[in-house]
Amino acid sequence: MRPIGENDIRGSFVNCSKGEARRLGLPRGLDELPWDDLDFLGWRDPGAPDRGYLVAEREGRLVGVALRATQGIRRSFTKSTVCSVCLTGHPGSGVALFSARRVGAAGRQGNTVGVYLCADLACPLYVRGKRVSGLGARYRETLSQEEQVDRMLSNLGVFLDQVLRED
């Protein structure tokens, strides 16, 4: 992903108002992020732990999506869960159910789309082995890293298509 600035990030959001986009907390150290290892930018709001944000390039433009994490779910540390985008396994609460308001009239009526994601929204770093889940190394796969990245982006694309669908 190419490095993006604060104005580009704030202007990319499709499922919240411009005022909400202006007020959202940006990731710390934006200039120091490992942009070469990111296929999309995801972060949790440091001031609001139930909020997360995701910015991805889609068809030549940035698309930002405001997310809300489900709160109050207790998971056993002996059980693992898998992110539905990057397929990384995590122990306990390493995966969270995030919901995103749909765009347009559907979103104004309260319609949302949910997806299980790495709780820290760092899927690209897990796929590349730059970050390790609490389970240790990722599952061994026969797919190359490039194929795993393509699968991750395809899975993310399905979620974004659902958020962007206006019917």
Tab-separated table of all heavy atoms in Angstrom, residues 1 4 12 39-42 53-65 153 156-157 160:
chain	number	residue	atom	x	y	z
A	1	MET	N	0.853	-1.164	0.000
A	1	MET	CA	0.000	0.000	0.000
A	1	MET	C	0.899	1.227	0.000
A	1	MET	O	1.914	1.257	0.675
A	1	MET	CB	-0.892	-0.031	1.248
A	1	MET	CG	-1.812	1.140	1.390
A	1	MET	SD	-2.954	0.924	2.766
A	1	MET	CE	-4.331	1.810	2.116
A	4	ILE	N	-0.306	6.930	2.945
A	4	ILE	CA	-1.421	7.862	2.825
A	4	ILE	C	-1.422	8.794	4.031
A	4	ILE	O	-0.991	8.422	5.120
A	4	ILE	CB	-2.775	7.131	2.696
A	4	ILE	CG1	-2.969	6.085	3.792
A	4	ILE	CG2	-2.906	6.494	1.332
A	4	ILE	CD1	-4.298	5.352	3.744
A	12	SER	N	-11.721	9.263	2.963
A	12	SER	CA	-12.036	7.976	2.330
A	12	SER	C	-13.257	7.282	2.925
A	12	SER	O	-13.780	6.352	2.325
A	12	SER	CB	-10.830	7.043	2.434
A	12	SER	OG	-10.632	6.602	3.761
A	39	ASP	N	-1.387	-4.120	2.991
A	39	ASP	CA	-2.273	-4.173	1.832
A	39	ASP	C	-3.516	-3.349	2.107
A	39	ASP	O	-4.229	-2.962	1.194
A	39	ASP	CB	-2.668	-5.618	1.529
A	39	ASP	CG	-1.437	-6.457	1.292
A	39	ASP	OD1	-0.792	-6.261	0.258
A	39	ASP	OD2	-1.100	-7.269	2.174
A	40	PHE	N	-3.792	-3.144	3.374
A	40	PHE	CA	-4.830	-2.214	3.826
A	40	PHE	C	-4.417	-1.735	5.206
A	40	PHE	O	-3.596	-2.355	5.885
A	40	PHE	CB	-6.227	-2.853	3.839
A	40	PHE	CG	-6.403	-3.993	4.801
A	40	PHE	CD1	-6.764	-3.773	6.121
A	40	PHE	CD2	-6.228	-5.299	4.375
A	40	PHE	CE1	-6.941	-4.824	7.002
A	40	PHE	CE2	-6.402	-6.361	5.247
A	40	PHE	CZ	-6.752	-6.119	6.565
A	41	LEU	N	-4.941	-0.605	5.595
A	41	LEU	CA	-4.627	-0.020	6.890
A	41	LEU	C	-5.789	-0.278	7.835
A	41	LEU	O	-6.924	0.086	7.526
A	41	LEU	CB	-4.394	1.490	6.731
A	41	LEU	CG	-4.137	2.292	8.003
A	41	LEU	CD1	-2.884	1.800	8.711
A	41	LEU	CD2	-4.022	3.773	7.664
A	42	GLY	N	-5.518	-0.915	8.938
A	42	GLY	CA	-6.542	-1.171	9.939
A	42	GLY	C	-6.025	-0.791	11.304
A	42	GLY	O	-4.852	-1.012	11.613
A	53	TYR	N	-11.140	0.956	12.486
A	53	TYR	CA	-11.238	1.583	11.165
A	53	TYR	C	-10.374	0.802	10.195
A	53	TYR	O	-9.349	0.241	10.564
A	53	TYR	CB	-10.779	3.044	11.235
A	53	TYR	CG	-11.510	3.821	12.286
A	53	TYR	CD1	-10.939	4.061	13.528
A	53	TYR	CD2	-12.805	4.286	12.066
A	53	TYR	CE1	-11.621	4.747	14.514
A	53	TYR	CE2	-13.491	4.974	13.048
A	53	TYR	CZ	-12.894	5.201	14.270
A	53	TYR	OH	-13.577	5.872	15.239
A	54	LEU	N	-10.812	0.800	8.964
A	54	LEU	CA	-10.126	0.067	7.922
A	54	LEU	C	-10.132	0.925	6.667
A	54	LEU	O	-11.176	1.466	6.296
A	54	LEU	CB	-10.909	-1.226	7.687
A	54	LEU	CG	-10.291	-2.330	6.913
A	54	LEU	CD1	-10.762	-3.637	7.518
A	54	LEU	CD2	-10.694	-2.249	5.486
A	55	VAL	N	-8.972	1.091	6.028
A	55	VAL	CA	-8.866	1.844	4.777
A	55	VAL	C	-8.154	0.957	3.770
A	55	VAL	O	-7.055	0.460	4.037
A	55	VAL	CB	-8.098	3.169	4.964
A	55	VAL	CG1	-7.939	3.892	3.639
A	55	VAL	CG2	-8.794	4.067	5.979
A	56	ALA	N	-8.788	0.745	2.624
A	56	ALA	CA	-8.225	-0.116	1.582
A	56	ALA	C	-8.351	0.572	0.231
A	56	ALA	O	-9.231	1.416	0.031
A	56	ALA	CB	-8.957	-1.451	1.550
A	57	GLU	N	-7.479	0.194	-0.680
A	57	GLU	CA	-7.584	0.685	-2.050
A	57	GLU	C	-8.513	-0.245	-2.818
A	57	GLU	O	-8.334	-1.457	-2.803
A	57	GLU	CB	-6.206	0.726	-2.706
A	57	GLU	CG	-5.303	1.784	-2.099
A	57	GLU	CD	-3.974	1.891	-2.820
A	57	GLU	OE1	-3.975	2.022	-4.063
A	57	GLU	OE2	-2.947	1.836	-2.128
A	58	ARG	N	-9.520	0.354	-3.456
A	58	ARG	CA	-10.486	-0.422	-4.249
A	58	ARG	C	-10.693	0.307	-5.562
A	58	ARG	O	-11.109	1.457	-5.576
A	58	ARG	CB	-11.832	-0.539	-3.530
A	58	ARG	CG	-11.794	-1.166	-2.187
A	58	ARG	CD	-12.182	-2.577	-2.138
A	58	ARG	NE	-13.477	-2.801	-2.750
A	58	ARG	CZ	-13.842	-3.960	-3.239
A	58	ARG	NH1	-13.042	-4.972	-3.187
A	58	ARG	NH2	-15.020	-4.112	-3.782
A	59	GLU	N	-10.395	-0.382	-6.638
A	59	GLU	CA	-10.615	0.161	-7.979
A	59	GLU	C	-10.015	1.558	-8.128
A	59	GLU	O	-10.640	2.477	-8.644
A	59	GLU	CB	-12.108	0.160	-8.302
A	59	GLU	CG	-12.708	-1.230	-8.268
A	59	GLU	CD	-14.223	-1.246	-8.403
A	59	GLU	OE1	-14.829	-0.163	-8.568
A	59	GLU	OE2	-14.795	-2.339	-8.335
A	60	GLY	N	-8.796	1.723	-7.631
A	60	GLY	CA	-8.068	2.971	-7.803
A	60	GLY	C	-8.414	4.087	-6.834
A	60	GLY	O	-7.905	5.191	-6.973
A	61	ARG	N	-9.268	3.817	-5.854
A	61	ARG	CA	-9.587	4.858	-4.867
A	61	ARG	C	-9.555	4.259	-3.470
A	61	ARG	O	-9.686	3.048	-3.291
A	61	ARG	CB	-10.947	5.482	-5.155
A	61	ARG	CG	-12.129	4.578	-4.913
A	61	ARG	CD	-13.452	5.277	-5.221
A	61	ARG	NE	-14.567	4.420	-4.898
A	61	ARG	CZ	-15.408	4.619	-3.903
A	61	ARG	NH1	-15.277	5.681	-3.141
A	61	ARG	NH2	-16.392	3.790	-3.667
A	62	LEU	N	-9.381	5.123	-2.482
A	62	LEU	CA	-9.380	4.683	-1.098
A	62	LEU	C	-10.808	4.550	-0.593
A	62	LEU	O	-11.644	5.418	-0.858
A	62	LEU	CB	-8.632	5.686	-0.218
A	62	LEU	CG	-7.126	5.761	-0.400
A	62	LEU	CD1	-6.552	6.858	0.481
A	62	LEU	CD2	-6.471	4.431	-0.077
A	63	VAL	N	-11.068	3.483	0.122
A	63	VAL	CA	-12.370	3.253	0.745
A	63	VAL	C	-12.119	3.013	2.230
A	63	VAL	O	-11.431	2.060	2.600
A	63	VAL	CB	-13.089	2.043	0.123
A	63	VAL	CG1	-14.363	1.735	0.884
A	63	VAL	CG2	-13.378	2.279	-1.345
A	64	GLY	N	-12.659	3.896	3.045
A	64	GLY	CA	-12.543	3.756	4.485
A	64	GLY	C	-13.854	3.285	5.076
A	64	GLY	O	-14.923	3.713	4.645
A	65	VAL	N	-13.773	2.403	6.055
A	65	VAL	CA	-14.961	1.848	6.693
A	65	VAL	C	-14.790	1.951	8.213
A	65	VAL	O	-13.777	1.502	8.757
A	65	VAL	CB	-15.175	0.374	6.280
A	65	VAL	CG1	-16.350	-0.235	7.009
A	65	VAL	CG2	-15.352	0.253	4.778
A	153	LEU	N	-7.019	-10.332	0.355
A	153	LEU	CA	-7.646	-9.184	-0.303
A	153	LEU	C	-8.984	-9.566	-0.922
A	153	LEU	O	-9.919	-8.767	-0.935
A	153	LEU	CB	-6.702	-8.597	-1.352
A	153	LEU	CG	-5.454	-7.915	-0.772
A	153	LEU	CD1	-4.518	-7.482	-1.888
A	153	LEU	CD2	-5.846	-6.739	0.112
A	156	LEU	N	-11.416	-9.730	1.993
A	156	LEU	CA	-11.724	-8.358	2.399
A	156	LEU	C	-12.651	-7.712	1.377
A	156	LEU	O	-13.587	-7.003	1.740
A	156	LEU	CB	-10.446	-7.535	2.555
A	156	LEU	CG	-10.649	-6.077	2.933
A	156	LEU	CD1	-11.283	-5.954	4.316
A	156	LEU	CD2	-9.331	-5.327	2.880
A	157	GLY	N	-12.410	-7.980	0.098
A	157	GLY	CA	-13.253	-7.429	-0.963
A	157	GLY	C	-14.702	-7.867	-0.843
A	157	GLY	O	-15.623	-7.077	-1.092
A	160	LEU	N	-16.150	-5.706	1.898
A	160	LEU	CA	-16.332	-4.326	1.442
A	160	LEU	C	-17.470	-4.214	0.432
A	160	LEU	O	-18.225	-3.237	0.449
A	160	LEU	CB	-15.035	-3.774	0.858
A	160	LEU	CG	-13.892	-3.554	1.865
A	160	LEU	CD1	-12.632	-3.108	1.155
A	160	LEU	CD2	-14.299	-2.572	2.941
